[in-house]
Amino acid sequence: PFLPLEALLVWLPLVGHALYSFSVWKRRRAAEPGSATLLAHRIAGVMVGLFLADHFVRFRLPILRGTVHPGDSVVRLAAELSSLRAGVPWVAALHLAGTIAVAFHLTLGLRRIAARSERLRASPLVRASCVGAGVVAGLVGVLTILRLAAGA
């Protein structure tokens, strides 16, 4: 029932962001050579893309195909996060890495946007807010994953 809203508010902006990012990546490749922060931002962006693609295929696509009821999503996610392969919770580890990449990408993206404005760039509050947004997003994500993986 919420598919058009989900497409409009979630998937369309994500695809738009990814396409725009590739165009910026091509244009700025020569403009900012050797920037470690930019490279880290791009690597985190690729990790986020892989994380979201995996999440879509594992959890959203079965719902769209009708093979899984939407109400079972959290139970399925918790089961996968708590599963072990060779004694290691690989799915949880990959979700943690993806969540940390999301938080890092968010922080750097907000800082890059703020850096375009002299007034924002000079504000310690804006810089702290950029970092704070990433930290809060990361903590909420990591704590949620840990809670689901623990079966709570």
Side-chain angles (χ1 to χ4, degrees):
F2 294 109
L3 189 57
L5 191 60
E6 176 185 347
L8 184 67
L9 297 177
V10 177
W11 298 111
L12 189 63
L14 284 172
V15 169
H17 180 72
L19 293 175
Y20 176 73
S21 298
F22 284 121
S23 103
V24 169
W25 192 338
K26 283 180 154 181
R27 268 188 316 205
R28 292 199 180 152
R29 192 179 303 172
E32 300 178 50
S35 169
T37 303
L38 182 60
L39 180 62
H41 190 221
R42 289 176 177 169
I43 290 170
V46 169
M47 289 176 64
V48 169
L50 293 172
F51 172 61
L52 291 175
D54 175 71
H55 189 79
F56 179 80
V57 169
R58 282 179 190 262
F59 301 105
R60 192 63 186 130
L61 196 56
I63 292 170
L64 294 174
R65 288 183 173 159
T67 58
V68 173
H69 187 273
D72 297 334
S73 295
V74 175
V75 173
R76 287 186 67 233
L77 178 59
E80 286 210 26
L81 291 173
S82 60
S83 68
L84 301 176
R85 288 186 182 90
V88 178
W90 290 109
V91 174
L94 293 173
H95 268 72
L96 287 170
T99 300
I100 291 167
V102 167
F104 187 71
H105 188 72
L106 173 65
T107 299
L108 290 181
L110 291 174
R111 289 189 68 187
R112 287 178 61 81
I113 291 168
R116 294 179 188 158
S117 162
E118 185 67 40
R119 183 174 56 94
L120 294 177
R121 183 175 48 240
S123 169
L125 178 61
V126 169
R127 286 194 309 267
S129 297
C130 293
V131 173
V135 168
V136 168
L139 281 175
V140 168
V142 166
L143 292 175
T144 301
I145 290 167
L146 293 176
R147 182 163 189 221
L148 286 171

